Amino acid sequence: MSAAHADTSRKREDQPELLTVELPSGRPPGGPRGGLSFVDVIGGRVLAWVGGATTLLGVVFFLMLAVSRGWIGVEARVAMAGLGSAALVGVGVWLHDRRARTEASLTMVGAGAAGLFATWVVAGQVYGLVSPYVAVGGSLMVGALTTSLAIRWRARTIGALGLLGALLSPVLVGAPHTALAVAILAVAAACAMAVVIHQGWNWLGVAAVLVSAPQWLAFLLRPMAVGPSGITAVTLTTGIALAVVGWFAALGLAGAVGAARLAEGSTPSHGMPAGVALAALSGCLTAAAGYVALTRIADQTTGELWLALVATVHLVAGVGRLPWLNLPAGLRRVLISLGVLAADAAFALAAHGLIQSVGWVAGGIAFGWLVRRALAASDTDGADRALLGAGLGGHLALTLVQALTSLPPDMLHAPDTPVSGFLSVALLAAGCLACGELIGPRATLVRRLLNRAGVAAIAYLTIGTLAGSALVAAWALEGAALIQLARRQDDPLALPAGLAFLGLAGLHATVVEAPPIALLTGAASLRAAAEALGVLIIALLSVAWREAVRWRPWLLVAAGAALYLISVTIITAFQPAAGTDFSMVLDLTVRQQGQVLLSACWGTVGVAGLILGLRRNTALVRDVALGLLLLTIGKVFLYDLSTLTSVYRVASFIGLGLLLLGGAFAYQRLRPPPLPDMRSVARAER
């Protein structure tokens, strides 16, 4: 045992001894858990940022003070600013390479880069010390250096302070808005977007658009710019304006696409997707600003062509499935939306009247087709469908506004109303109904709303184009069609709409064509009353014919309308209402025969309905017939008794009495069996 123990000890001595280091308990040696402490942030970052910004502002203030006091010459001022800015960049690069990465070194590089941009602006634009080509070339070199350092080091500090400071440099040094200043601005914006494309910093692209847009727009809105040396800048032309707007629009679109593609494979964030805000902001600004500037410089047609170009580019980028341009779905939706908005704006400015309605209805139908495809596709998310639905609703809303503008309510029956107004409303109705059919049954609510909007447009059109019995006919037919639609598609919105249309038809027929006063004085036009009430009766009968369960109420309403028409016809036949008014209501020298026949007609119909209801055991028919008999009794005792002469009064009372006796006899013979008395039956046997 001792020998074995000695061998084991000898083997352990031959092996190298491992060094074990015990870490103290608590937080790891790299710093506090979760990042830097508050003191580290203040001492390492905030001081560096404030120091860099203060240094940059100090250089700018020194140049401004030296210029105002005349301390140094022009060349010396520019040289001192350039050398100082270059020194900041050099020291920052040296510190970053030799002394490890620090926030101070990055801030020095960013401040120095912004100072170099400002120096080239002052040297080329303000004092004219170098030619514009040299100034732009120098800006290109500074921009290339700044861009490469920001991408290589992934330094947000250089992007924020250096590139955004470069974009602000023309404003900081007070340079006028000339072609040279815009050229240097274009270089700085291109550098910023290059960083956005490589790093995916959406915030840098948005900030670059917000900083640069006011400057190049001010240049475009100022056709002539004169510098302090009295040299007139290049006069703006349409080509220059198109080049400026196109350059910044292309930069914004490229930055959005690059940021979106770079962030596509990364972990999704809970905020706005990369590139969406940049695309929306850049697209809206360049489209609107380009239209304003080109309209002022050239003409409105050029501005409209610019909007059409913007729409085409965005739609191609959003819809086209190009193999080299694989965009995320979120950015595609934004690009399509921007393209549609630009196309709508261009179309609204270029077209007028009926052509606008045609274009917007066509756009709505196209969106309806896209919605149908999106609903059928299994890989389409809710955001795509919502966006397509918004496009459909927006186009139909524009058509609605155009229709109401072309045909306002106060011009419905005006003699000078243009035909294009009626056609616009007709197109709105056709577009809504067509989109409802295109969407199909998958989007039930949207389809119902579209159908209702189309029917409402038809109703509005009928009010403007029809009158009298023709209007009643149109409303009655529309109401019958809607009720049939409710039965066929189980649409809860169609039934109230159909009832409303039938109610409008009945109200117009009984208030305008055959008002209740016609039961005393006769109808002004028996033909118009007969046509209006006849069409209403036909519509009610068609609904009752197709209703398999609820046909009796519709049949009773149709019978009531027919009885009202017969009553008006009886009174009108005995005393036409031409040349009469309400003051002659009690003058019944020739009207008495009609009133007697009217009472007899009501009584006969009431008794017949009572018998029918009793024989078929239909409580609804029986109750309505009893109501009609009570109404007849009231008419005879309250009206006929006070207005008719003795002969006609006797005839009225005798006829009604005989009818009531017959009805009472029939009721006694055919009355419904009484309910059994269940009080004596045990509760368990009931």
Side-chain angles (χ1 to χ4, degrees), residues 82-93:
L83 291 175
S85 300
L88 280 176
V89 174
V91 173
V93 173

Side-chain angles (χ1 to χ4, degrees), residues 409-420:
D410 57 347
M411 294 180 60
L412 287 176
H413 295 285
D416 56 346
T417 303
V419 181
S420 60

Side-chain angles (χ1 to χ4, degrees), residues 3 125 140 219 231 301 339 353 369 472 488 636 649 675:
Q125 175 65 38
L140 281 173
F219 166 72
I231 301 175
T301 304
W369 178 72
V472 176
R488 186 181 62 183
V636 170
R649 187 185 306 164
L675 295 175

Side-chain angles (χ1 to χ4, degrees), residues 178-264:
T178 59
L180 178 58
V182 173
I184 297 177
L185 183 71
V187 171
C191 296
M193 290 304 172
V195 175
V196 172
I197 293 172
H198 283 83
Q199 299 298 325
W201 295 342
N202 198 32
W203 59 270
L204 179 60
V206 173
V209 171
L210 290 175
V211 171
S212 61
Q215 300 182 58
W216 59 260
L217 181 58
F219 166 72
L220 293 178
L221 296 181
R222 186 179 181 182
M224 296 291 292
V226 180
S229 59
I231 301 175
T232 302
V234 179
T235 304
L236 274 179
T237 60
T238 305
I240 295 177
L242 280 173
V244 172
V245 182
W247 175 263
F248 286 97
L251 287 179
L253 183 59
V257 171
R261 292 188 61 181
L262 190 64
E264 184 179 7

Side-chain angles (χ1 to χ4, degrees), residues 63 67 74 77-78 117-129 169 173 175 184:
L63 290 174
V67 170
V74 173
R77 302 169 198 166
V78 176
F117 267 101
T119 301
W120 285 115
V121 173
V122 171
Q125 175 65 38
V126 179
Y127 297 124
L129 299 178
S169 58
V173 299
I184 297 177

